[in-house]
């Protein structure tokens, strides 16, 4: 999961400006350009429902693009939308599925354990996955993650601690 290059950022901002001005081709190109970025954010939060979350996030970007005041803030704005949609999609999906039991982890030495990070992530709540992704994948600090999640920084810090602790427990079991 590599961060965006400066050239890619500049291209996205340029496309956002043109799309906001009514250029439909630029809007199409912008959505294509943002798809990998949105998918990278949604997949570890919404897990199996990541494609649905990414689609919902891109739809939200499409419908709300004209409300983006500063195209320079495009990626932060899109990140907030993607996280919100991924958490919402994951919560909706978790209501229809039984919750996994943290004690139901493969034994040490099981070959599936090392390869199945997604299984361990599935054992976390969507809120914990979201803060873990923002902090450890996207590289945001607790305050920035809290702002994206619209929660107090102390809550983000405690969720991150619990998420990391639960992840370590499930991974090392």
């Amino acid at each position: 999961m590599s961060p965006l290059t400066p050239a890619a950022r500049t291209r996205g901002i340029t496309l956002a400006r043109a799309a906001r001005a009514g250029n439909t081709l630029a809007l199409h190109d912008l959505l294509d350009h943002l798809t990998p970025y949105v998918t990278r954010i949604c997949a570890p939060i919404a897990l199996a429902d990541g494609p649905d979350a990414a689609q919902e996030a891109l739809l939200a970007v499409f419908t709300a693009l004209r409300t983006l005041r500063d195209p320079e803030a495009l990626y932060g704005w899109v990140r907030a939308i993607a996280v919100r949609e991924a958490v919402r999609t994951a919560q909706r999906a978790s209501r229809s599925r039984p919750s996994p039991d943290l004690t139901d982890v493969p034994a040490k030495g099981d070959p599936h354990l090392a390869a199945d990070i997604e299984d361990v992530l599935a054992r976390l709540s969507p809120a914990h996955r979201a803060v873990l992704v923002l902090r450890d994948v996207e590289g945001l600090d607790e305050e920035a993650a809290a702002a994206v999640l619209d929660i107090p920084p102390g809550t983000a810090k405690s969720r991150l601690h619990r998420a990391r602790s639960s992840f370590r427990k499930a991974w090392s079991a």
Side-chain angles (χ1 to χ4, degrees):
M1 285 193 218
S2 61
L4 288 167
T5 65
R9 280 190 182 277
T10 301
R11 181 171 184 264
I13 292 166
T14 302
L15 287 170
R17 282 192 177 108
R20 288 183 68 238
N23 183 332
T24 55
L25 183 58
L27 177 60
H28 177 74
D29 289 347
L30 176 64
L31 293 174
D32 284 346
H33 172 77
L34 290 173
T35 298
Y37 179 70
V38 168
T39 301
R40 185 182 87 195
I41 294 168
C42 291
I45 297 171
L47 302 175
D49 297 304
D52 292 341
Q55 185 175 12
E56 291 294 326
L58 289 168
L59 181 60
V61 167
F62 171 77
T63 58
L65 186 61
R66 292 195 186 265
T67 67
L68 176 63
R69 291 188 185 127
D70 180 12
E72 297 288 327
L74 173 69
Y75 292 96
W77 180 73
V78 169
R79 181 189 313 120
I81 291 171
V83 168
R84 183 186 66 231
E85 292 301 328
V87 169
R88 190 179 60 74
T89 300
Q91 287 173 335
R92 185 178 54 223
S94 70
R95 284 189 286 259
S96 64
R97 295 182 191 129
S99 11
D101 180 13
L102 279 176
T103 60
D104 185 26
V105 178
K108 274 189 178 178
D110 186 327
H112 296 291
L113 181 63
D116 203 359
I117 292 173
E118 187 173 313
D119 180 57
V120 176
L121 284 172
R123 298 168 191 279
L124 302 178
S125 72
H128 287 152
R129 284 194 304 265
V131 74
L132 196 63
V133 167
L134 288 173
R135 187 73 175 92
D136 294 338
V137 176
E138 288 295 307
L140 300 181
D141 61 23
E142 280 91 1
E143 289 186 22
V148 168
L149 296 170
D150 198 24
I151 57 175
T155 302
K157 191 172 184 175
S158 67
R159 281 185 189 172
L160 180 62
H161 174 74
R162 284 192 297 263
R164 285 178 174 165
S165 175
S166 296
F167 188 93
R168 276 189 219 106
K169 179 181 175 185
W171 186 256
S172 65

